Amino acid sequence: MKIKEVKEYLDAELLCGDEAELEKDVYSACGSDMMSDVLAYVKDQSVLLTGLVNPQVIRTAEMMDMICLVFVRSKKPTPEMVKLAHEHGLVVLATDKRMYEACGILYSNGLTSKGVKKR
Amino acid sequence: MSEALTLHFDVNGEDFTSAGQASVRFKKNMRELGVDPEIIRRASIAMYEGEINMVIHAHGGCADVEVTEEAITITLSDKGPGIPDIAKAMQEGYSTAPDNIRQLGFGAGMGLPNMKRYTDDMKIESTVGVGTTVTMRIDLPK
């Protein structure tokens, strides 16, 4: 799935990222408000869905080599967080959908938690 | 890379929002050295967890990194309260982090277990009232 499809499926607003970055492929995703769990269970996942808003979300995504961050439940990152995301080359999206629904939509369209990056 | 490369990072414990900056810089340094991305990720996550721990529990500290041809060694040192029961602290889900830290997405009791999981060796030396030193080694492929 391309990031632009993630954006379309979730009817999301683009807060950070350009056209070229929206063309990037993503293979798997995870959803959590606990960054500790994200750091514990994620392997090679490229999209993080979260309702948590603080700079650690951006740094956690960066540590995990993720390329797309989706804020759910109408949460909006601060301008400082967007700036940090931009520095790390992360695409940031925001959707009004709740976590369960947002994850369900992506999963049912083929973005599972077990995708394997083609090398 | 015949001689060991050493890096030093101070971890500011005053402000949780800045926690993780040392790990971000470390990750950038490792990329510049051309270390394998999978190894960089493991090492960075381990250091990030350790850095967060130092900010939550010990008012900050410092991280010293040594890179040789064989391994990356990360030593995290703080002058915090120390860990009274290391075996308990190593249990997944056990946490002494306050509620305000949980609201920030951490304090699930996964920090130390994650650090062990992502490294090839981890040693914790801690004295209550004096501080804690965590040494982690990640082997590099020959």
Side-chain angles (χ1 to χ4, degrees):
Chain A
M1 187 182 292
K2 290 193 186 297
I3 295 179
K4 71 174 181 189
E5 294 173 273
V6 173
K7 179 177 175 292
E8 284 161 18
Y9 285 131
L10 298 180
D11 196 14
E13 183 187 346
L14 179 68
L15 301 176
C16 179
D18 57 29
E19 288 299 322
E21 287 170 319
L22 287 176
E23 292 296 326
K24 285 184 183 171
D25 287 305
V26 290
Y27 300 91
S28 62
C30 82
S32 181
D33 288 351
M34 279 307 277
M35 293 303 108
S36 302
D37 286 346
V38 174
L39 290 162
Y41 299 116
V42 175
K43 286 179 189 169
D44 220 1
Q45 296 185 340
S46 35
V47 183
L48 172 64
L49 297 100
T50 189
L52 184 73
V53 178
N54 69 47
Q56 304 312 328
V57 176
I58 311 286
R59 293 204 186 94
T60 299
E62 151 74 2
M63 287 299 138
M64 305 298 292
D65 297 323
M66 289 170 162
I67 58 170
C68 178
L69 200 52
V70 182
F71 288 96
V72 298
R73 302 194 292 269
S74 311
K75 304 274 179 174
K76 291 281 160 65
T78 62
E80 290 77 23
M81 287 171 65
V82 173
K83 186 169 171 278
L84 200 56
H86 184 72
E87 285 169 19
H88 294 315
L90 279 168
V91 176
V92 180
L93 303 172
T95 176
D96 294 341
K97 298 189 191 310
R98 294 182 184 185
M99 177 76 95
Y100 182 75
E101 191 186 359
C103 292
I105 289 170
L106 295 183
Y107 195 99
S108 58
N109 281 288
L111 188 66
T112 66
S113 58
K114 292 173 188 157
V116 178
K117 199 172 174 178
K118 295 182 189 104
R119 292 183 194 273
Chain B
M1 204 173 15
S2 55
E3 284 178 31
L5 172 91
T6 57
L7 302 164
H8 176 84
F9 304 93
D10 286 314
V11 176
N12 180 356
E14 298 301 311
D15 176 13
F16 186 79
T17 58
S18 67
Q21 284 178 345
S23 303
V24 169
R25 289 208 305 278
F26 163 76
K27 189 166 189 180
K28 192 166 173 280
N29 290 144
M30 293 304 108
R31 278 191 191 131
E32 285 164 2
L33 278 177
V35 177
D36 176 76
E38 196 62 41
I39 289 179
I40 295 180
R41 190 194 303 172
R42 282 170 49 211
S44 305
I45 294 170
M47 177 159 162
Y48 183 55
E49 290 275 20
E51 189 182 348
I52 298 278
N53 273 350
M54 286 201 287
V55 175
I56 295 173
H57 299 287
H59 313 295
C62 64
D64 287 283
V65 176
E66 188 189 71
V67 186
T68 64
E69 283 184 3
E70 287 81 37
I72 300 170
T73 307
I74 303 169
T75 307
L76 305 165
S77 315
D78 69 59
K79 294 185 172 60
I83 306 170
D85 187 339
I86 292 174
K88 208 168 180 180
M90 286 302 301
Q91 287 173 16
E92 289 194 3
Y94 178 79
S95 175
T96 58
D99 283 346
N100 65 323
I101 293 297
R102 293 211 179 85
Q103 284 160 12
L104 294 168
F106 289 88
M110 297 304 291
L112 287 172
N114 277 353
M115 288 156 70
K116 191 171 173 61
R117 190 191 325 230
Y118 289 122
T119 56
D120 293 298
D121 186 59
M122 181 170 97
K123 287 189 183 68
I124 304 174
E125 289 166 67
S126 189
T127 308
V128 173
V130 179
T132 300
T133 301
V134 179
T135 309
M136 299 179 286
R137 195 193 75 233
I138 301 102
D139 293 330
L140 295 173
K142 296 224 165 54

